[in-house]
Amino acid sequence: MKEVSIAVESGFDWFVVGYFLVLSTMYLALILLASRELLRYFRRRPFIGHDEVFDHPLAPPISVIMPAHNEEVFIVDAARAMLGLHYPELEVIVVDDGSTDATFERLQHAFDLVQVPLVMPPLVPTLGDVHSTHLPRGHEPLVVVRKESVGSKADALNAGIRAAHYPLLCMVDADAILDPDALLLMARPFVEDPHMVAAGGSIRAVNDSTVYRGQLIEARIPRRWLPRIQVVEYLRAFLLGRTGWAKLGCLLVISGAFGVFRRDVVIEVGGYDADAIGEDADLVARIHRLLLRQRRRYSMAFVSEPVCWTEVPETREVLGRQRGRWSQGLFQVLWTYRGMIFNPRYGRIGLVVLPYFLLFELLGPVVELLGLLSVTVGLALGLINVPFAVLFFLVAFGYGILLSWISIAIEEFSYHRYPQWRDLAWAVAAAVVENVGYRQLHDWWRIKGIWHGARRRQPVWGVMHRVGFTPERTPEAKPEPVTPPSR
Amino acid sequence: MAGGLPLLVIGVALGVVLLCLAAATVGRKLTRTVGERREARFTDELRPLLTRITIDEDPDVPLPQLRGRRREVFEVLATAHLAKVRGAGREALIKVATSRGEVHAAERRLRRPGVVGRMAAIAFLGRVGTTESRPALERLLRSHDPELRAAAVRALGQTGDPAVIPVLLDVMAAGRSVPFGVVAMSIVRIGPAGSTALRRGLLHDDPQARSLSAELLGLHGGIEALEPLIRCLLDDREAEVRIRAARALGRLGSFRAVPALIQSTAEDQPAPLRAVATRALGEVGDPSAVDTLTELIGDRHLVAGNAARALFSCGLRGRDVLERLAGAEPDEPGSPYARETLARAALDQRWASTPSAS
């Protein structure tokens, strides 16, 4: 009996070790690919005509769509920051998604809004009724759409799409802080490549960084461990992971916090799905499906330059809910587009990306926690020997630390947005600490998300206490928006 | 299950890799800090001298020895200065760069393998803009590296010489091509001097070259571009070229284009062309288009929206139509668009003359 137990235990543990090895090696390959691309871009950056788009008479105008639900604290500054972005021609559409606070009143007072009967053609479906549309009496290119909330960010975005006039749509969260040149950088791929349909921007954590009047002055590594670890996570997964996927032509997620899309393509796929939990990934998957089915030539880009900064959760509860929702959203996307998985008709998206997300992103936390449990129990019962346990931890955590350190090194070699030595030290430490406790908790939140996804449960939003930025600290506790925070 | 020695090897290897990584990161941070300080020192030293050369128009301002990093900083600063100054100040700076052998050095660097160095040299030569550098820059249009090709296209545009336009139009159709947007920006820099070459570009074999020529003639073409653009709008076999010709005719704003634009709004024409032609009719603002626009305001969204704005730009007759429609039942075709246009116009008269870019 004992022999059988040892054989089963040993077989499973070797499977987990192999799984980690494959997962981490795939990630290493992505990171190395991304690093080559990033360093190449970084060295050439002074000579690739960054300022060109601003002077470009053919630069495509952009409609910036900003959904807002109970954002009275930030909304006026956010709208002003968007209106102040460097771009030759843009309009900012704020969709007040059934706010119950003074979001609209603040806007009305700040911009002297007047109700105007704008035509909002039913180009994409919306569930919540549009109550009214407003323009400022001044000359700011601002449109405010007031609509009934149905508890869906996607529905608010669809209302914004209906009100938009310009060929490019920029979807941005109301609490995101954009670099002044963000739109210029994001529009560049569309100017250069006529087949470009979507571009995602790099998202970074802004906690404890210095922000003045809606602009990032100095990036800092947060003081608390939870956001600090997320900085490293964002570097590894969002900056390098997505740069690598984009280089392979396999981008599946364009963050809802900041992404630019071609309006005609978004309309063609029917806009956002109001029922989708991960509406950003759902839209991108739908675009892939349509264009691949029709065998149309297209491309999607990822702009690695750090252009969008967002406050990440500082407490376990909020972070747990956020990560649970992300997992639930991923489950829903994989379920909705299951017909594309392993389907050669959908090329690399069907044969590489979706299987990767299924086998490693979705099932990864299950395998990891089971493996950890199995090794611990096996060690306690004497079913496995100590060297094997060490090997397991080396592969699972040592490799993980290596990937994080490579990410930090690449950031240091390229954008170098954290100038202080102290920040580098904290980031290096966070990459190690991440593996003790945080990673296991994270797996647990993700497993709960998968479970909720399988049971088709509505995600829980709760309340997010925003801490604010240094030195513009905003002490107010603010309800977490009904619209999901971005990935 | 796992032997002690292989495990030790794996552990040590991982540790060594992590240590190397940490050392490389710290080393990079150190060298960057030192390098940035050095660069700042050279910049502080050279910038006032270059400013003196351009402001005093004096090529005899004494400069220190230009070697190594200082020479690179000089090149970057000179490239930035040349982008900003014109006339005698510019000539003085070019004279200094030439006499110091910087122009020849940059030309030599075009043949070296390092892409970044070549890109810096291309940017510098583009700003200097001498005709002697042109063949070398044109050779780079055949480079394997797309960014090097794009840099060469930019530099050729910066020379301001209209003779490069045919070369730039050809490069879009070449096997190793350069994106439309990059070529467009490069030719835009040449300005109205390129109008003759762009008119010839309307007859190019490549539809992209014809599209770009049409689009840019709308910006710099002048009255002599009207007839070629009208022919292009009516006769070109590519819808994209016709759309851009319609947009260009709208920008030029001549009433002579109205019949061709009206013809392009017919129902059997491609939908994007109809929308752009409708908008162009508004930009021309000729009252003879009012009847056509009145019909178009009942059309699909994009055409209808543009038609409403166009009617507003067509004088009193157009506004009368809008007011009649605005007072009609909400389900009357065009009525919501008329109401929106008049409400926007009441808010800001200038808005109505800036039609949507969609």
Side-chain angles (χ1 to χ4, degrees), chain A residues 14 44 47-48 52 56 58 61 119 121 139 165 188 191-192 384-385 387 391 402 409 412 414 416 418-419, chain B residues 1-2 7 17 21 25 29 32 115 120 145 147 154 179 181 185 215 301 309 336 340 344 347-348 350 357-358:
Chain A
W14 276 111
R44 294 172 177 208
F47 313 108
I48 58 176
E52 211 168 54
H56 207 306
L58 309 182
V119 180
H139 304 305
H165 285 96
R188 198 184 164 77
V191 171
E192 293 193 345
I384 59 169
N385 57 22
L391 176 72
L402 177 69
E412 196 54 47
S414 56
H416 181 54
Y418 302 98
Chain B
M1 290 174 87
L7 200 60
V17 171
L21 209 54
T25 310
K29 201 164 182 76
R32 185 198 288 267
V115 173
D145 191 307
E147 280 170 1
R154 275 185 211 106
M185 192 59 212
E215 186 82 54
H301 167 61
R309 286 171 213 141
E340 177 187 326
R344 276 187 186 261
L347 204 58
D348 180 3
R350 282 178 301 176
S358 49

Side-chain angles (χ1 to χ4, degrees), chain B residues 108-324:
Chain B
R108 277 198 306 276
R109 270 192 294 137
L110 291 183
R111 290 188 290 272
R112 289 198 190 153
V115 173
V116 178
R118 279 198 281 172
M119 286 176 96
I122 290 169
F124 179 65
L125 290 172
R127 288 296 178 194
V128 170
T130 55
T131 44
E132 292 79 34
S133 310
R134 249 187 63 194
L137 290 173
E138 284 183 18
R139 268 197 300 279
L140 285 168
L141 296 176
R142 293 187 292 274
S143 162
H144 285 279
D145 191 307
E147 280 170 1
L148 212 52
R149 294 200 296 272
V153 163
R154 275 185 211 106
L156 284 168
Q158 281 159 357
T159 63
D161 183 355
V164 301
I165 290 179
V167 181
L168 294 178
L169 290 177
D170 286 342
V171 87
M172 284 189 295
R176 289 175 192 156
S177 63
V178 176
F180 184 94
V182 177
V183 178
M185 192 59 212
S186 179
I187 298 180
V188 162
R189 289 211 176 91
I190 295 167
S195 152
T196 310
L198 288 173
R199 285 203 303 277
R200 272 188 227 116
L202 289 176
L203 305 171
H204 203 283
D205 290 335
D206 176 39
Q208 279 205 86
R210 296 203 299 280
S211 291
L212 184 55
S213 302
E215 186 82 54
L216 297 184
L217 279 169
L219 297 172
H220 299 308
I223 203 75
E224 63 276 11
L226 265 177
E227 285 309 321
L229 280 171
I230 290 172
R231 274 198 301 276
C232 207
L233 171 63
L234 296 175
D235 300 334
D236 202 284
R237 53 193 180 278
E238 293 289 332
E240 183 63 27
V241 181
R242 297 179 65 203
I243 289 167
R244 289 184 188 268
R247 189 151 45 218
L249 287 167
R251 283 199 187 116
L252 291 177
S254 168
F255 69 93
R256 279 161 57 193
V258 171
L261 288 170
I262 287 178
Q263 208 176 315
S264 304
T265 61
E267 271 188 54
D268 58 346
Q269 299 295 325
L273 174 62
R274 295 180 69 218
V276 172
T278 307
R279 198 174 70 203
L281 283 171
E283 285 170 316
V284 175
D286 192 75
S288 65
V290 168
D291 291 338
T292 307
L293 291 170
T294 308
E295 283 173 32
L296 291 171
I297 201 172
D299 209 289
R300 292 198 311 172
H301 167 61
L302 207 51
V303 176
N306 284 345
R309 286 171 213 141
L311 275 168
F312 191 85
S313 310
C314 287
L316 284 177
R317 258 191 79 202
R319 290 176 204 192
D320 283 347
V321 173
L322 286 176
E323 271 162 24
R324 181 178 54 76

Side-chain angles (χ1 to χ4, degrees), chain A residues 12 102 208 303 387:
Chain A
F12 178 71
D208 290 324
V303 176

Side-chain angles (χ1 to χ4, degrees), chain A residues 349-425:
Chain A
I349 297 295
L351 295 176
V352 179
V353 185
L354 288 171
Y356 169 85
F357 273 84
L358 173 68
L359 297 176
F360 295 110
E361 291 286 336
L362 192 74
L363 298 180
V366 181
V367 176
E368 179 167 342
L369 270 196
L370 283 179
L372 198 64
L373 198 69
S374 162
V375 169
T376 313
V377 170
L379 204 59
L381 298 180
L383 298 176
I384 59 169
N385 57 22
V386 175
F388 179 79
V390 173
L391 176 72
F392 177 86
F393 287 113
L394 271 180
V395 171
F397 302 134
Y399 213 158
I401 294 171
L402 177 69
L403 293 179
S404 298
W405 280 24
I406 293 176
S407 308
I408 295 166
I410 292 164
E411 156 63 17
E412 196 54 47
F413 273 78
S414 56
Y415 294 116
H416 181 54
R417 289 304 291 257
Y418 302 98
Q420 301 208 10
W421 282 93
R422 200 171 33 180
D423 289 329
L424 177 63

